[in-house]
Amino acid sequence: GTATRDRLRIAIQKSGRLAEPARSLLAACGLSWRESRDKLFCYGESLPVDLLLVRDDDIPGLIADGVCDLGVVGRNELDEQAGERARNGLPPAYRELHGLGFGQCRLMLAVPEEWEWQGPQQLQGLRIATSYPAILAGWLQRQGIDAHVVELSGSVEIAPRLGTADLICDLVSSGATLAANHLKPVENLLDSEAVLAGPAGGFDDARAGLAQMLLRRVDGVLQLKD
Ligand code: PRT
Ligand code: ZN
């Protein structure tokens, strides 16, 4: 996106785990919006900062394409799509600007609970189901393990029971989902939380100052919290 704009556009999740905390944080930063009827676009009233309400998966791409300037998205999603770009030979398009202290979870390997876990070398030749193939493939490569990555878009935790994979790599927060599926976490690939993401290259117009101000306010709001 090379278009010059004098308003900042932030993509946040429309509904889901990060939707409400993202809006609350931005409201605490002094932003307010006039909502449109379709509620996909919220025009900023207190400041020239508009919201776009989208699926979390779309946020990194919207920043890469310059459709949005900033986004609130899970580090897991940002790193996955960055890894996918890298594997396709594309240059970095976005970067993490600030951790936001909500949406915490871990991307973990989990195995059937009766397994005796002896370490990553045990994974050689096995099938691992995940929605995070790029992060997993990168980790396997760094461990020197050759395993089969089975990409699934959802219900990853039932793959071992269905026989489509031997183990899984999925997000874990309370651990209840793993326990309910007789799986146990064995390796942590990523500590994740919601982050404020922006373009790799920054801005060269009025958006630079707006983004800087927003970052300062985010910093202030988060410091008040802890
Ligand atoms: O519709 P849209 O595509 O926008 O939403 P989504 O369904 O893809 O995303 P959503 O709202 O489920 O998650 C958004 C972000 O929340 C994720 O990208 C993570 O950054 C963060 N997050 C935090 C989590 C979890 N915790 C989490 N526990 N995302 C998913 N889970 C799932 C996990 O995949 C597993 O199925 O919850 C289950 C495990 O939870 P526990 O508590 O049983 O361990
Ligand atoms: Zn999603």
Side-chain angles (χ1 to χ4, degrees):
T2 49
T4 295
R5 270 192 263 123
D6 55 7
R7 298 183 66 84
L8 200 66
R9 199 179 287 163
I10 308 179
I12 66 170
Q13 198 184 22
K14 179 172 161 57
S15 60
R17 293 168 202 262
L18 307 183
E20 197 281 322
R23 282 185 84 117
S24 301
L25 174 67
L26 295 174
C29 290
L31 305 186
S32 64
W33 310 274
R34 186 170 70 212
E35 262 164 51
S36 64
R37 215 170 327 150
D38 63 7
K39 290 198 176 170
L40 294 177
F41 185 85
C42 306
Y43 184 85
E45 285 194 317
S46 53
L47 284 165
V49 180
D50 307 321
L51 291 188
L52 201 65
L53 309 187
V54 299
R55 293 199 54 184
D56 66 338
D57 319 56
D58 294 336
I59 293 176
L62 289 168
I63 296 171
D65 295 342
V67 175
C68 286
D69 304 310
L70 301 175
V72 175
V73 62
R75 181 178 295 135
N76 49 290
E77 200 58 54
L78 198 67
D79 284 9
E80 174 63 23
Q81 296 196 30
E84 198 181 307
R85 283 183 67 90
R87 287 169 69 184
N88 290 323
L90 294 167
Y94 26 75
R95 66 197 171 95
E96 189 177 316
L97 302 176
H98 212 300
L100 299 179
F102 59 87
Q104 287 98 341
C105 56
R106 289 170 164 181
L107 184 64
M108 301 199 76
L109 288 185
V111 302
E113 56 195 9
E114 64 274 13
W115 284 23
E116 210 175 298
W117 183 245
Q118 283 147 355
Q121 64 285 350
Q122 202 175 341
L123 300 173
Q124 196 68 33
L126 297 184
R127 298 162 306 159
I128 312 173
T130 190
S131 304
Y132 297 90
I135 296 177
L136 176 58
W139 183 85
L140 288 168
Q141 194 172 18
R142 287 193 297 280
Q143 301 287 326
I145 306 286
D146 205 4
H148 306 283
V149 176
V150 179
E151 184 174 353
L152 296 179
S153 55
S155 304
V156 169
E157 65 278 0
I158 63 168
R161 215 181 334 149
L162 295 178
T164 50
D166 302 297
L167 67 150
I168 70 168
C169 169
D170 200 8
L171 298 177
V172 181
S173 43
S174 70
T177 302
L178 292 184
N181 288 279
H182 305 288
L183 299 168
K184 63 178 179 188
V186 291
E187 293 279 338
N188 182 14
L189 276 60
L190 177 71
D191 283 310
S192 187
E193 63 177 326
V195 303
L196 188 67
F203 309 105
D204 53 11
D205 52 27
R207 290 174 295 176
L210 285 169
Q212 217 170 47
M213 179 193 63
L214 185 67
L215 269 167
R216 270 201 311 271
R217 291 190 182 188
V218 164
D219 213 49
V221 169
L222 293 180
Q223 274 177 34
L224 280 176
K225 274 191 183 170
D226 42 55

Coordinates of all heavy atoms in Angstrom, one line a residue, residues 11-13 17-23 25 56 59 71-78 96-106 171 190-197 218 222 225:
A11 N -7.4 -2.8 12.1 CA -8.2 -4.0 12.0 C -8.2 -4.8 13.3 O -7.2 -5.0 13.9 CB -7.6 -4.9 10.9
I12 N -9.5 -5.1 13.7 CA -9.6 -5.9 14.9 C -10.6 -7.1 14.6 O -11.3 -7.0 13.6 CB -10.1 -5.1 16.2 CG1 -11.5 -4.6 16.0 CG2 -9.1 -4.0 16.5 CD1 -12.1 -4.1 17.2
Q13 N -10.6 -8.1 15.5 CA -11.5 -9.2 15.3 C -12.9 -8.8 15.4 O -13.2 -8.1 16.4 CB -11.1 -10.3 16.3 CG -11.6 -11.7 15.9 CD -11.4 -12.7 16.9 OE1 -11.1 -12.4 18.1 NE2 -11.4 -14.0 16.5
R17 N -12.5 -14.3 20.7 CA -11.8 -14.1 21.9 C -11.1 -12.7 22.0 O -11.0 -12.2 23.2 CB -10.7 -15.1 22.1 CG -11.2 -16.5 22.3 CD -10.0 -17.4 22.2 NE -10.5 -18.8 21.9 CZ -10.7 -19.7 22.8 NH1 -10.4 -19.5 24.1 NH2 -11.2 -20.9 22.4
L18 N -10.7 -12.1 20.9 CA -9.9 -10.9 21.0 C -10.7 -9.7 20.7 O -10.3 -8.5 20.9 CB -8.7 -10.9 20.0 CG -7.8 -12.2 20.1 CD1 -6.7 -12.0 19.1 CD2 -7.3 -12.3 21.5
A19 N -12.0 -9.9 20.3 CA -12.8 -8.8 19.9 C -13.1 -7.7 21.0 O -12.8 -6.5 20.8 CB -14.2 -9.3 19.3
E20 N -13.6 -8.2 22.1 CA -14.0 -7.3 23.2 C -12.8 -6.7 23.8 O -12.8 -5.4 24.0 CB -14.9 -8.0 24.2 CG -15.7 -7.1 25.1 CD -14.9 -6.6 26.2 OE1 -14.0 -7.4 26.8 OE2 -15.0 -5.4 26.6
P21 N -11.8 -7.5 24.2 CA -10.6 -6.8 24.8 C -9.9 -5.8 23.9 O -9.4 -4.8 24.4 CB -9.7 -8.0 25.2 CG -10.3 -9.2 24.7 CD -11.7 -8.9 24.3
A22 N -9.9 -6.1 22.6 CA -9.3 -5.1 21.6 C -10.0 -3.8 21.6 O -9.4 -2.7 21.7 CB -9.2 -5.7 20.2
R23 N -11.3 -3.9 21.6 CA -12.1 -2.6 21.6 C -12.0 -1.9 22.9 O -11.9 -0.7 22.9 CB -13.6 -2.9 21.4 CG -13.9 -3.2 19.9 CD -15.4 -3.4 19.8 NE -16.1 -2.1 19.7 CZ -16.7 -1.7 18.6 NH1 -16.8 -2.6 17.5 NH2 -17.3 -0.6 18.5
L25 N -9.4 -1.9 25.0 CA -8.1 -1.3 25.0 C -8.1 0.0 24.2 O -7.6 1.0 24.7 CB -7.0 -2.3 24.5 CG -5.6 -1.7 24.4 CD1 -5.1 -1.4 25.8 CD2 -4.7 -2.7 23.7
D56 N -9.9 -12.8 12.4 CA -8.5 -12.6 12.8 C -7.5 -13.1 11.8 O -6.5 -12.5 11.6 CB -8.3 -13.3 14.2 CG -8.4 -14.8 14.1 OD1 -9.0 -15.4 13.2 OD2 -7.8 -15.5 15.0
I59 N -6.3 -10.5 9.2 CA -5.6 -9.3 9.7 C -4.1 -9.1 9.1 O -3.8 -8.1 8.6 CB -5.6 -9.1 11.2 CG1 -7.1 -8.9 11.6 CG2 -4.7 -8.0 11.7 CD1 -7.4 -8.8 13.1
G71 N -3.1 -3.7 13.3 CA -4.1 -4.7 13.6 C -3.8 -5.3 15.0 O -2.7 -5.2 15.5
V72 N -4.9 -5.8 15.6 CA -4.8 -6.5 16.8 C -5.0 -7.9 16.5 O -6.1 -8.3 16.1 CB -5.8 -5.9 17.9 CG1 -5.8 -6.8 19.2 CG2 -5.6 -4.5 18.2
V73 N -4.0 -8.7 16.7 CA -4.1 -10.1 16.3 C -3.2 -11.0 17.2 O -2.2 -10.5 17.8 CB -3.6 -10.2 14.8 CG1 -2.2 -9.8 14.6 CG2 -3.8 -11.6 14.2
G74 N -3.5 -12.3 17.3 CA -2.7 -13.2 18.1 C -1.3 -13.3 17.5 O -1.2 -13.4 16.2
R75 N -0.3 -13.4 18.3 CA 1.1 -13.6 17.8 C 1.2 -14.9 17.0 O 1.9 -15.0 16.0 CB 2.1 -13.6 19.0 CG 3.5 -13.8 18.6 CD 4.4 -13.8 19.9 NE 4.4 -12.5 20.5 CZ 4.2 -12.3 21.8 NH1 4.1 -13.3 22.6 NH2 4.2 -11.1 22.3
N76 N 0.4 -15.9 17.4 CA 0.3 -17.2 16.7 C -0.1 -17.0 15.3 O 0.6 -17.6 14.4 CB -0.6 -18.1 17.5 CG -2.0 -17.5 17.7 OD1 -2.1 -16.6 18.6 ND2 -3.0 -18.0 17.0
E77 N -1.1 -16.2 15.0 CA -1.5 -15.9 13.7 C -0.5 -15.1 12.9 O -0.3 -15.4 11.7 CB -2.9 -15.2 13.8 CG -3.7 -15.3 12.5 CD -4.1 -16.7 12.1 OE1 -4.6 -17.4 13.0 OE2 -3.8 -17.0 10.9
L78 N 0.0 -14.1 13.5 CA 1.0 -13.2 12.8 C 2.2 -14.0 12.5 O 2.7 -13.9 11.3 CB 1.4 -12.1 13.8 CG 2.0 -10.9 13.1 CD1 1.0 -10.1 12.2 CD2 2.5 -9.9 14.2
E96 N 5.5 -7.0 14.8 CA 4.9 -6.8 16.1 C 5.3 -5.5 16.7 O 6.5 -5.3 16.8 CB 5.2 -8.0 17.0 CG 4.5 -8.1 18.2 CD 4.8 -9.3 19.0 OE1 4.9 -10.4 18.5 OE2 5.0 -9.2 20.3
L97 N 4.4 -4.6 17.1 CA 4.8 -3.4 17.6 C 4.7 -3.4 19.1 O 5.4 -2.7 19.8 CB 3.9 -2.2 17.1 CG 3.9 -2.0 15.6 CD1 2.9 -1.0 15.2 CD2 5.3 -1.7 15.1
H98 N 3.7 -4.1 19.7 CA 3.5 -4.1 21.1 C 2.7 -5.3 21.6 O 1.6 -5.6 21.0 CB 2.8 -2.8 21.5 CG 3.1 -2.3 22.9 ND1 2.9 -3.0 24.0 CD2 3.6 -1.1 23.3 CE1 3.3 -2.3 25.1 NE2 3.8 -1.1 24.6
G99 N 3.1 -6.0 22.6 CA 2.3 -7.1 23.2 C 1.2 -6.4 24.0 O 1.4 -5.3 24.5
L100 N 0.0 -7.0 24.0 CA -1.1 -6.3 24.6 C -1.7 -7.0 25.9 O -2.6 -6.5 26.5 CB -2.3 -6.3 23.6 CG -1.9 -5.5 22.3 CD1 -3.0 -5.4 21.3 CD2 -1.4 -4.0 22.6
G101 N -1.1 -8.1 26.4 CA -1.4 -8.6 27.7 C -2.8 -9.3 27.8 O -3.3 -9.5 28.9
F102 N -3.4 -9.6 26.7 CA -4.6 -10.4 26.7 C -4.5 -11.5 25.6 O -3.7 -11.4 24.8 CB -5.9 -9.6 26.6 CG -6.1 -8.8 25.4 CD1 -6.6 -9.3 24.2 CD2 -5.7 -7.4 25.4 CE1 -6.8 -8.5 23.1 CE2 -5.8 -6.7 24.3 CZ -6.4 -7.2 23.1
G103 N -5.4 -12.5 25.7 CA -5.4 -13.5 24.7 C -4.2 -14.5 24.8 O -3.8 -15.1 23.9
Q104 N -3.7 -14.5 26.0 CA -2.6 -15.4 26.3 C -2.9 -16.9 26.0 O -3.9 -17.4 26.4 CB -2.0 -15.3 27.7 CG -1.3 -14.0 28.0 CD -2.2 -13.0 28.7 OE1 -3.4 -13.1 28.6 NE2 -1.6 -12.0 29.3
C105 N -2.0 -17.6 25.3 CA -2.1 -19.0 25.1 C -0.7 -19.5 24.7 O 0.2 -18.7 24.5 CB -3.2 -19.4 24.1 SG -3.0 -18.5 22.5
R106 N -0.6 -20.8 24.6 CA 0.7 -21.4 24.1 C 0.4 -22.3 22.9 O -0.7 -23.0 22.9 CB 1.3 -22.2 25.2 CG 1.9 -21.4 26.3 CD 2.3 -22.2 27.5 NE 3.2 -21.5 28.4 CZ 3.7 -22.0 29.5 NH1 3.5 -23.3 29.8 NH2 4.5 -21.3 30.2
L171 N -3.2 -24.6 20.0 CA -3.2 -23.6 21.1 C -3.8 -24.2 22.3 O -4.8 -25.0 22.3 CB -4.0 -22.4 20.6 CG -3.5 -21.6 19.4 CD1 -4.5 -20.5 19.1 CD2 -2.1 -21.1 19.7
L190 N 5.5 -21.9 21.2 CA 5.3 -20.4 21.2 C 4.4 -19.9 22.3 O 3.4 -20.4 22.6 CB 4.6 -20.0 19.9 CG 4.3 -18.5 19.7 CD1 5.5 -17.7 19.4 CD2 3.3 -18.3 18.5
D191 N 4.9 -18.9 23.0 CA 4.1 -18.1 24.0 C 3.4 -17.0 23.2 O 4.1 -16.2 22.7 CB 5.0 -17.5 25.1 CG 5.4 -18.6 26.1 OD1 4.6 -19.3 26.6 OD2 6.6 -18.6 26.4
S192 N 2.1 -17.1 23.2 CA 1.3 -16.1 22.4 C 0.5 -15.2 23.3 O 0.1 -15.6 24.4 CB 0.5 -16.8 21.4 OG -0.1 -15.9 20.5
E193 N 0.1 -14.1 22.7 CA -0.8 -13.1 23.3 C -1.3 -12.3 22.1 O -0.7 -12.3 21.1 CB -0.2 -12.3 24.4 CG 0.9 -11.4 23.9 CD 1.5 -10.5 25.0 OE1 0.8 -10.1 25.9 OE2 2.7 -10.2 24.9
A194 N -2.3 -11.4 22.4 CA -2.7 -10.5 21.3 C -1.6 -9.4 21.2 O -1.0 -9.0 22.2 CB -4.0 -9.8 21.7
V195 N -1.3 -9.0 20.0 CA -0.3 -8.0 19.8 C -0.8 -6.9 18.8 O -1.8 -7.1 18.1 CB 1.0 -8.6 19.2 CG1 1.6 -9.7 20.1 CG2 0.8 -9.1 17.7
L196 N -0.2 -5.7 19.0 CA -0.5 -4.7 18.0 C 0.5 -4.9 16.9 O 1.7 -4.9 17.1 CB -0.4 -3.3 18.6 CG -0.8 -2.1 17.7 CD1 -2.3 -2.2 17.4 CD2 -0.5 -0.8 18.4
A197 N 0.0 -5.1 15.6 CA 0.9 -5.3 14.5 C 0.8 -4.1 13.5 O -0.2 -3.5 13.4 CB 0.6 -6.6 13.8
V218 N -1.2 3.2 24.3 CA -1.3 1.8 24.6 C -0.3 1.4 25.8 O -0.7 0.8 26.7 CB -1.0 0.9 23.4 CG1 -0.7 -0.5 23.8 CG2 -2.1 0.9 22.4
L222 N -1.4 0.0 29.4 CA -1.0 -1.3 29.9 C -0.2 -1.1 31.2 O -0.2 -2.0 32.0 CB -0.1 -2.0 28.8 CG -0.9 -2.4 27.6 CD1 0.0 -3.1 26.6 CD2 -2.0 -3.3 27.9
K225 N -2.3 -1.0 34.2 CA -2.9 -2.3 34.5 C -2.1 -3.1 35.4 O -2.6 -3.9 36.2 CB -3.2 -3.1 33.2 CG -4.5 -2.8 32.5 CD -4.8 -3.8 31.5 CE -6.1 -3.5 30.7 NZ -6.2 -4.4 29.5

